[in-house]
Amino acid sequence: QVQLVESGGGLVQPGGSLRLSCAASGDYFSTYLMGWYRQAPGKQRELVATITRSGDTKHADSLKGRFTISRDNTTVYLQMNSLQFEDTAVYYCHSAICVGCEGDWGQGTQVTVSS
């Protein structure tokens, strides 16, 4: 099992930027695949981006060019630029031993885009 601690959320104006961080501790092998998901009010949780330990990334098509995932060993980051109202959501960190595995979730961090 992996413990995931997220940070970096908050309130930002449209067009602004935020950088989320998620530090993992626990089972090293369970951090092969790390990623970010988000859930807006009244909507299902959706994939934002994932990254493997070797650096292979996958970003949601709708977010390419604005959001960038990166990692440093067992810490994963999400750089979010040109934030829009519709980016408002709770952002969750995820870690798994393989693609498609259930894995572990962080507690979530709120991102609110508002003027």
Side-chain angles (χ1 to χ4, degrees), residues 11-109:
L11 175 65
V12 63
Q13 292 185 340
S17 297
L18 281 176
R19 189 191 195 207
L20 305 182
S21 299
C22 172
S25 61
D27 180 9
Y28 172 78
F29 295 101
S30 295
T31 60
Y32 168 75
L33 179 71
M34 297 188 73
W36 291 95
Y37 292 73
R38 70 183 185 182
Q39 187 167 18
K43 295 187 177 181
Q44 291 186 331
R45 190 173 297 187
E46 63 176 357
L47 169 73
V48 175
T50 61
I51 185 168
T52 66
R53 192 174 292 133
S54 59
D56 295 327
T57 63
K58 175 182 178 181
H59 294 79
D61 288 341
S62 61
L63 301 176
K64 286 180 180 178
R66 295 196 300 121
F67 287 21
T68 304
I69 193 170
S70 61
R71 69 183 288 172
D72 177 9
N73 198 10
T74 56
T75 299
V76 63
Y77 306 94
L78 184 67
Q79 179 66 43
M80 304 185 293
N81 298 325
S82 302
L83 284 162
Q84 304 168 2
F85 293 119
E86 52 266 35
D87 294 319
T88 295
V90 178
Y91 285 71
Y92 295 92
C93 180
H94 179 257
S95 177
I97 196 169
C98 66
V99 176
C101 293
E102 183 174 349
D104 298 287
W105 293 91
Q107 79 284 357
T109 184

